[in-house]
Amino acid sequence: MKIVVDSSLLSEALADADKAVSSKPVMEILSGILIQTTDDGLSVTGASERAMIQSYIPEEHVEIIRAGAVVLPKIALELIGKLNGEIEIDVDKGCEITILNKNEEVVVSGFDFEEFPRPPEIHWGDTTPIKGKDLKEFIKKTVFSVATETKMPEITGVNITLADNQMKFLATDRNRLASIEKKMEVNDFGSAIVEARGLAEVEKIIFDKDEIQFGFSKLQSGQVYVVFIKTDRFTFFSRVLEGQYPDVERILSRVVTVSKLRVNKCEFAKSLDLIYTLAKEEKMNQVRLAASETELTIRGNGKGMGKAKGEVNPLSLEGEPFTISLNAKYIIDLLKAIDSDVLSIEYTGKMTSVIFQGDVGEGSRYIVQPYRTEI
C-alpha cells in the first residue's frame, strides 16, 4: 500500500476509530488501527472484542498510489499527530511502514491486516433515521446509570428498544435507573442490550447535525446480534450483550407518587455539590433530604471531618413533607443529564424509590433507591 493524505485528516479519522479500542486489548493486534484503501477512498478501523468504529476519508482527500492495507501500531497514531501537511505512507510486503513528511521520515513495524477482525455482516435495508443531536441525548441521559462491576454482564449495557413508533433507552445498576423514551417513526426491531462503553465513546464523535441511520441486524432466527450507527463519516458496530435484561418496566409501573417537590435545578445542584464535598468521604456518599412546603434541607457528614447543611426554597410541594437518605453521587450524575431549569422530586413512600424528572418534554425519568439508614 502507498498513499498520500493530509496528516490532520488522517489523525482525526484515527482518533475516531481509536475510541473503539480497549485499554486492555485481548490480542496485540487490537491495540492497533487498520487503514485500508477502498473504491471510495480510505477506511480507518479500530476494534475491541465487542465494538468497532470504521471512519472514512473520501477519495478526493487521499491519493492512492498503490492499494492495500495495514494495521498501524498504537505509537503510529501519536507520531502522525505530530506531523503537519501531506504525508506519504508506504507499506512493504513485510508490513514495514515508512511515513514521509517534508524532511522527516519515520519507519515503524505494522501488523498483517489479514489478522484484524472483519466488520460484521449487516442487513442495511431496514434502518431508523435519527438526528445526531437526538441520539446523543438518548445516550447522555442513560449511559451513566449502568453497572460497572457485576456478575450480571447484561446490566453493564443499555437496553435499547425500537417498537410501537417509539425509541426507548434503559440503564440500571439495580440501585438506580435511567430511562428515556420518545415517539418517532421507527422500524419494529424489538430490543437489544448494547455495551455502555461503546455508546459512551461513540457519543463523543457524533455531531448534532449528523444524519444517522440506526438499526439492529438480526440472525435468521430473528435474534439481534449487532447494533449499528451509520453516518457519512463513520460506522459504529456493537455486538449485543447476552442475557435477560431486568424487568424494570414492572418497577416503573408499580411506583406511586405520595409527594411531589419542585425546585430550581441549579440552586439544588449548587447546594448538593457543596454537601457532597464532605459526603463523598463516606463510603455510601450519603446525604439526607428533608422537604417541607417552606424549605428543602440537605445534610451530609464527612467521615469525622465535619458536616454540612444547605437549604433550598421549594417552588412547590404537593402532598406531605418527607425525609429520605440517598447517594449524592447518583443525584449529581442525573442532574447533569437533565436539561430543564425545574427539577421534580417524587417521594413514593418510606424505603421505596425516589423519582427525579425534568420537563416532561425531555422524556426521561430517573429512579434512585434510598438507604435504610438516615443521618
Side-chain angles (χ1 to χ4, degrees):
M1 183 179 76
K2 188 175 183 179
I3 61 172
V4 177
V5 64
D6 184 82
S7 60
S8 62
L9 285 178
L10 182 56
S11 289
E12 183 179 348
L14 288 168
D16 287 350
D18 189 49
K19 287 181 170 55
V21 177
S22 171
S23 59
K24 297 179 180 179
V26 295
M27 298 183 293
E28 186 181 11
I29 197 168
L30 290 180
S31 66
I33 302 290
L34 170 67
I35 60 171
Q36 186 170 28
T37 60
T38 69
D39 293 339
D40 300 316
L42 190 70
S43 71
V44 181
T45 306
S48 65
E49 62 273 22
R50 188 167 297 280
M52 177 177 285
I53 295 177
Q54 195 169 63
S55 57
Y56 313 110
I57 299 178
E59 58 182 338
E60 60 265 28
H61 296 300
V62 56
E63 179 186 354
I64 300 174
I65 300 170
R66 186 172 67 249
V70 71
V71 179
L72 295 175
K74 188 78 171 179
I75 190 66
L77 280 64
E78 185 178 351
L79 291 168
I80 291 171
K82 295 180 182 295
L83 303 177
N84 296 309
E86 284 192 341
I87 59 174
E88 179 185 282
I89 299 178
D90 192 357
V91 184
D92 67 16
K93 292 182 179 180
C95 293
E96 185 173 86
I97 304 163
T98 302
I99 305 171
L100 297 174
N101 175 229
K102 299 176 182 177
N103 298 323
E104 298 166 318
E105 177 179 325
V106 177
V107 179
V108 295
S109 297
F111 301 98
D112 185 351
F113 77 96
E114 293 286 355
E115 300 177 14
F116 198 83
R118 298 288 187 269
E121 293 186 9
I122 297 296
H123 302 289
W124 300 103
D126 294 325
T127 61
T128 292
I130 183 172
K131 294 286 186 182
K133 181 180 179 180
D134 294 332
L135 183 56
K136 287 173 66 176
E137 181 183 20
F138 272 84
I139 298 171
K140 166 194 167 186
K141 290 182 179 296
T142 52
V143 73
F144 63 89
S145 284
V146 302
T148 54
E149 294 182 10
T150 178
K151 294 180 180 179
M152 298 176 59
E154 60 269 25
I155 63 173
T156 63
V158 177
N159 192 57
I160 301 175
T161 302
L162 300 174
D164 302 324
N165 286 320
Q166 183 173 259
M167 178 180 280
K168 181 187 300 182
F169 280 34
L170 288 171
T172 185
D173 62 4
R174 290 197 171 277
N175 294 309
R176 57 177 168 175
L177 180 145
S179 68
I180 178 171
E181 57 186 62
K182 288 189 177 181
K183 291 288 185 181
M184 61 177 66
E185 291 186 12
V186 302
N187 286 300
D188 198 348
F189 288 134
S191 297
I193 309 170
V194 184
E195 184 185 43
R197 177 191 170 274
L199 288 174
E201 291 300 323
V202 79
E203 181 197 0
K204 298 174 184 177
I205 62 174
I206 297 174
F207 296 156
D208 286 353
K209 64 180 181 181
D210 279 338
E211 300 288 341
I212 290 173
Q213 295 299 316
F214 184 92
F216 296 169
S217 195
K218 297 183 177 182
L219 301 171
Q220 289 187 346
S221 63
Q223 181 181 0
V224 179
Y225 82 106
V226 169
V227 173
F228 61 87
I229 296 168
K230 182 174 178 58
T231 76
D232 58 357
R233 294 182 298 109
F234 70 88
T235 303
F236 166 78
F237 308 90
S238 178
R239 296 188 182 277
V240 302
L241 295 171
E242 297 179 356
Q244 185 69 35
Y245 202 75
D247 188 6
V248 293
E249 298 290 352
R250 180 173 54 86
I251 299 172
L252 292 172
S253 64
R254 288 183 176 182
V255 173
V256 178
T257 301
V258 174
S259 302
K260 183 175 181 179
L261 179 73
R262 296 171 71 250
V263 295
N264 180 284
K265 190 194 80 169
C266 290
E267 290 180 6
F268 176 69
K270 182 179 178 181
S271 184
L272 180 65
D273 186 58
L274 175 66
I275 311 302
Y276 179 59
T277 304
L278 279 175
K280 67 184 179 182
E281 299 298 325
E282 297 284 353
K283 184 178 180 180
M284 297 188 295
N285 304 313
Q286 187 178 172
V287 294
R288 185 178 70 175
L289 307 183
S292 69
E293 291 185 358
T294 56
E295 66 181 17
L296 170 63
T297 303
I298 311 167
R299 297 178 185 270
N301 296 332
K303 200 176 182 179
M305 301 177 66
K307 58 185 178 180
K309 181 181 78 168
E311 294 180 355
V312 177
N313 294 323
L315 299 175
S316 65
L317 174 64
E318 300 173 18
E320 62 189 48
F322 63 88
T323 300
I324 198 80
S325 293
L326 301 168
N327 187 316
K329 178 64 167 57
Y330 290 172
I331 306 173
I332 288 173
D333 286 345
L334 68 86
L335 289 176
K336 293 176 182 177
I338 292 175
D339 300 318
S340 307
D341 294 330
V342 176
L343 173 72
S344 295
I345 304 173
E346 298 181 31
Y347 175 69
T348 62
K350 190 172 182 180
M351 298 318 306
T352 57
S353 305
V354 180
I355 304 170
F356 294 81
Q357 281 184 291
D359 186 270
V360 175
E362 289 191 35
S364 56
R365 181 159 59 158
Y366 305 91
I367 291 179
V368 179
Q369 298 297 336
Y371 289 126
R372 293 189 176 276
T373 57
E374 295 187 354
I375 58 176

